Amino acid sequence: MNRKRFVAGNWKMNTSMNEGFQLLKDIMDRVSESDLETCDVSIFAPFTHLKVFQNTLNGSLMQLGAQNCHHEEAGAYTGEISADMLASVPVAQVLVGHSERRQYFGETNELLAKKVDQVLKHGMQAVYCYGETLDQREDESYIEVVTNQISTGLFHLSAEEIVKVTLAYEPVWAIGTGKTASAGQAQEIHAHTRSILREKYGEEISAQLRILYGGSVKPSNALELFSMPDIDGGLIGGAALNAQSFEAIIKA
Ligand code: PEP
């Protein structure tokens, strides 16, 4: 199965409107249409930037994503952003379950299942993040932890729905720490992920689903990680804030 590569930049809570606009323009100048024919590229920008970015990207193959949404449809949730609002921008994708949301905002697998439903209901794709903490890796419970994150967050979806989801394995101990999982460590979890997707949805669907790796991906390690058979691209944090590094990762 030939899965199209996918590199996504998660800007987190970084860049003013002007800085963000300049960074987007720099990335657009560097990433060619031929890069985008072989690799999907999406920018997960802060909410405040989305409409301007959508206008700027109009006509480009580069896609736009949001970093979060609320799990309810609408209502008295001051300060929150709904999937319906994001679809009206429009954005193509929404990140669900980033470890920083799980860790700092107490998001559980059960809550994330509802967010995934909202994203799909409004016609967008979900990028569902999962991954173990350092303690869970060291006490060897990590396979069980990631299995539970995937099954509770996603396995209520039908076959027609799951194909609108990209998975992103991000070991918490590797995010923003400079410590990357080795290509072998990442491949182990990616292969496990694909095997549980196969058990649940069958060979054809599991072979078509994309599984990204995230956690201190940089130009120097991207090629080795992306060469693994079950790693289909990357979710990039720090290195996505530098147009040159982001371009080099896309080219890898
Ligand atoms: C992330 O935020 O999803 C991420 C992987 O960050 P970093 O690349 O900085 O580790």
Side-chain angles (χ1 to χ4, degrees):
M1 165 67 67
N2 215 355
R3 292 179 292 273
K4 190 174 179 189
R5 300 282 162 161
F6 184 10
V7 170
N10 173 18
W11 288 13
K12 312 193 188 194
M13 196 172 72
N14 291 300
T15 72
S16 66
M17 188 69 245
N18 286 344
E19 289 163 350
F21 185 68
Q22 193 52 54
L23 177 58
L24 179 69
K25 295 291 264 182
D26 290 348
I27 292 169
M28 289 173 78
D29 286 345
R30 284 170 176 277
V31 178
S32 66
E33 292 295 304
S34 73
D35 291 330
L36 294 167
E37 273 158 25
T38 50
C39 180
D40 285 333
V41 175
S42 188
I43 305 290
F44 288 81
F47 290 134
T48 45
H49 301 15
L50 292 176
K51 191 64 202 170
V52 169
F53 280 22
Q54 204 275 327
N55 291 336
T56 308
L57 286 170
N58 205 1
S60 159
L61 291 176
M62 211 181 292
Q63 298 171 18
L64 185 62
Q67 299 170 17
N68 182 32
C69 70
H70 197 262
H71 60 280
E72 295 288 352
E73 181 66 31
Y77 301 100
T78 301
E80 292 294 324
I81 302 284
S82 71
D84 189 31
M85 293 170 188
L86 295 173
S88 74
V89 171
V91 307
Q93 292 126 3
V94 184
L95 275 189
V96 177
H98 191 279
S99 69
E100 289 150 17
R101 302 288 324 168
R102 293 175 184 266
Q103 189 179 349
Y104 304 135
F105 301 93
E107 296 191 356
T108 62
N109 295 320
E110 289 75 13
L111 178 94
L112 297 171
K114 293 186 191 168
K115 293 197 181 204
V116 171
D117 289 344
Q118 278 296 316
V119 172
L120 301 188
K121 175 179 172 197
H122 290 283
M124 298 172 288
Q125 297 160 4
V127 176
Y128 182 78
C129 307
Y130 63 102
E132 79 284 0
T133 62
L134 186 58
D135 285 350
Q136 291 162 340
R137 174 145 290 259
E138 285 175 351
D139 70 16
E140 308 224 325
S141 63
Y142 61 100
I143 295 281
E144 193 188 321
V145 168
V146 299
T147 302
N148 185 35
Q149 288 171 329
I150 296 166
S151 59
T152 312
L154 297 178
F155 280 6
H156 63 290
L157 299 177
S158 67
E160 292 72 39
E161 290 168 329
I162 192 78
V163 294
K164 296 174 189 137
V165 176
T166 295
L167 291 92
Y169 169 57
E170 298 205 305
V172 179
W173 48 272
I175 298 178
T177 57
K179 275 191 211 156
T180 317
S182 69
Q185 283 173 320
Q187 169 59 24
E188 180 198 15
I189 300 294
H190 284 237
H192 171 71
T193 303
R194 206 174 300 286
S195 83
I196 62 174
L197 290 166
R198 190 182 307 118
E199 269 170 42
K200 173 75 183 169
Y201 294 104
E203 176 63 36
E204 202 183 320
I205 287 177
S206 71
Q208 122 188 31
L209 289 170
R210 291 187 293 190
I211 309 171
L212 311 183
Y213 169 78
S216 299
V217 177
K218 347 180 225 281
S220 58
N221 59 24
L223 187 59
E224 193 190 356
L225 286 159
F226 297 170
S227 302
M228 292 289 121
D230 290 295
I231 301 184
D232 304 312
L235 180 54
I236 320 298
L241 294 169
N242 178 294
Q244 200 178 343
S245 303
F246 194 54
E247 177 199 8
I249 292 169
I250 292 164
K251 294 215 169 6

